[in-house]
Amino acid sequence: MRFEVTLDGQGHSVELRRRGEKWECSLEGRSRDLDVVEVSPGRFSVLLEGQSFELRVERVEGGYRIHGR
């Protein structure tokens, strides 16, 4: 899946690929492995390079909005 995202006001190209139990994320051509668990509907726990993030996915007109912390 390929997405165009805005982070801190700047546009980026992000591609996500499932590889078995893991996810691979490519941001502007740089690949990283992710551990992703859906903890409740629309809420995800993401482990990236030793850091943990919580993401909430919200459906909006024309796509999705992702909130993270």
Side-chain angles (χ1 to χ4, degrees), residues 4-5 11 20 24 26 30 38 42-43 51 63-64:
E4 294 300 318
V5 299
E24 181 182 273
S26 179
R30 182 175 170 207
E38 187 171 15
R43 286 180 126 26
Q51 292 185 302
Y64 296 90

Side-chain angles (χ1 to χ4, degrees), residues 30-44:
R30 182 175 170 207
S31 292
R32 299 172 178 170
D33 288 333
L34 304 173
D35 285 320
V36 179
V37 175
E38 187 171 15
V39 294
S40 63
R43 286 180 126 26
F44 297 85

Side-chain angles (χ1 to χ4, degrees), residues 20-58:
E21 294 296 314
K22 302 257 184 191
W23 286 85
E24 181 182 273
C25 174
S26 179
L27 175 62
E28 301 298 336
R30 182 175 170 207
S31 292
R32 299 172 178 170
D33 288 333
L34 304 173
D35 285 320
V36 179
V37 175
E38 187 171 15
V39 294
S40 63
R43 286 180 126 26
F44 297 85
S45 174
V46 178
L47 184 61
L48 169 65
E49 297 179 351
Q51 292 185 302
S52 179
F53 302 91
E54 182 181 321
L55 301 178
R56 185 171 47 89
V57 179
E58 171 187 19

